[in-house]
Amino acid sequence: MNAVLSRSSDSRWPVPPLLWATGAVHAGAALSLLAAPAYWPWALAAVVLNHAVITATGLWPRSTALGANLVRLPASAAARREVALTIDDGPDPEVTPAVLDLLDAYGARATFFCIAERATRHPGLVREIVRRGHSVQNHSHAHRHNFSLLGPRGFAREIQAAQAVLAELAGEAPRFFRAPAGLRNPFLAPVLHRLGLALASWTRRGYDTRERDPQRVLQRLTRGLAAGDILLLHDGHCARDAQGRPVVLAVLPALLATLRQHQLVPVTLTQSCAARSTTP
Ligand SMILES: [Zn+2]
């Protein structure tokens, strides 16, 4: 089993170096206050700077400094020329069925990071996603705008509620979690570890929730395209092109054709991360 999916929830969470450094900064600041109170502005500045670094890191979706974060498929998947299409913020009754038809037309498999509240409203769509061979993963319960400001309890509530809904509807518990907008703070990683979920972000994204030009979305997704890439598109919250068409529907045929042209195989995250490595 690949390391991405083999983490068990009863093992200890491996504290990342940035958080050890944070502990050291705080301890050092406290000690220096005791030893030399007159230098308090320096101690305060060190703590403020440290918090600024932590906050900036949480606003960087592809960062691995706050804990494990899947930004590319494992090397074994890249060796098989696999890529992962990930489609966020659905299911959407207008867009998702058309996305499924396009994927079928190219024999492609994708991973849908669903918002559980939407899944509850459209349970048939979740079942249809699974029936067509795709994977349903956890994108939180309500996709709250203030998600990255939650603490450990708030994270656990949002993620566990979504996990229960999606496991029930999809018939299989999600193994991956993606934070709304990819934003987070240091409390998220220990919660995910306890729940046995792996954080997944992406290699490249098209910004298709606000970009109205399908050509530019396609360029962002295909510039430097390589085996092992994780690509991000949206079936929910997607922008509309000049003709009022959901951008994802305009982008997908050209994107799938480009993948085929480069002999890249779109598979689900679970498929590519759970498959045994073919390299020693
Ligand atoms: Zn989202």
Side-chain angles (χ1 to χ4, degrees), residues 3 19 28 45 49 61 65 114 125 137 141 144 146 153 160 164 179 207 240 242 244 262 275 279:
L19 298 188
L49 182 65
C114 291
L125 280 178
Q137 299 297 326
H141 191 259
R144 295 167 58 155
N146 63 348
R153 279 188 184 186
Q160 273 177 310
Y207 292 96
R240 307 275 161 161
H262 288 81
T279 50

Side-chain angles (χ1 to χ4, degrees), residues 103-235:
L103 293 171
D104 271 356
Y106 284 83
R109 296 284 175 268
T111 302
F112 289 77
F113 279 92
C114 291
I115 301 172
E117 256 183 9
R118 288 184 164 218
T120 308
R121 267 184 273 141
H122 309 290
L125 280 178
V126 178
R127 285 191 278 267
E128 187 62 8
I129 290 170
V130 175
R131 194 186 70 76
R132 304 239 204 147
H134 308 292
S135 166
V136 169
Q137 299 297 326
N138 189 330
H139 195 36
S140 84
H141 191 259
H143 205 271
R144 295 167 58 155
H145 292 300
N146 63 348
F147 181 84
S148 65
L149 302 177
L150 297 177
R153 279 188 184 186
F155 281 143
R157 255 198 314 270
E158 266 286 308
I159 297 165
Q160 273 177 310
Q163 195 71 358
V165 166
L166 297 172
E168 164 82 26
L169 292 176
E172 192 179 328
R175 307 291 303 273
F176 293 94
F177 174 76
R178 177 172 284 161
L183 308 182
R184 62 201 192 280
N185 68 42
F187 295 116
L188 179 63
V191 171
L192 292 180
H193 185 78
R194 183 163 57 79
L195 298 176
L197 284 162
L199 182 71
S201 54
W202 52 82
T203 314
R204 45 193 104 248
R205 59 173 157 174
Y207 292 96
D208 57 327
T209 55
R210 52 176 197 258
E211 174 61 65
R212 302 188 63 209
D213 180 353
Q215 205 51 40
R216 294 179 69 167
V217 172
L218 183 67
Q219 276 167 9
R220 288 184 186 125
L221 291 171
T222 54
R223 195 181 297 133
L225 183 70
D229 280 2
I230 300 172
L231 306 178
L232 167 58
L233 281 161
H234 291 79
D235 58 348

Side-chain angles (χ1 to χ4, degrees), residues 12-120:
R12 281 172 68 92
W13 177 56
V15 179
L18 178 61
L19 298 188
W20 282 117
T22 297
V25 166
H26 283 75
L31 285 174
S32 70
L33 276 183
L34 288 174
Y39 288 102
W40 68 266
W42 292 101
L44 179 64
V47 169
V48 168
L49 182 65
N50 172 254
H51 280 241
V53 169
I54 293 274
T55 304
T57 307
L59 299 177
W60 176 18
R62 302 183 66 245
S63 159
T64 53
L66 295 179
N69 182 9
L70 188 70
V71 298
R72 299 187 58 76
L73 297 179
S76 53
R80 295 188 296 267
R81 298 206 54 78
E82 292 173 356
V83 290
L85 288 176
T86 61
I87 301 175
D88 287 16
D89 292 8
D92 181 287
E94 186 195 342
V95 182
T96 310
V99 167
L100 290 173
D101 288 346
L102 287 170
L103 293 171
D104 271 356
Y106 284 83
R109 296 284 175 268
T111 302
F112 289 77
F113 279 92
C114 291
I115 301 172
E117 256 183 9
R118 288 184 164 218
T120 308

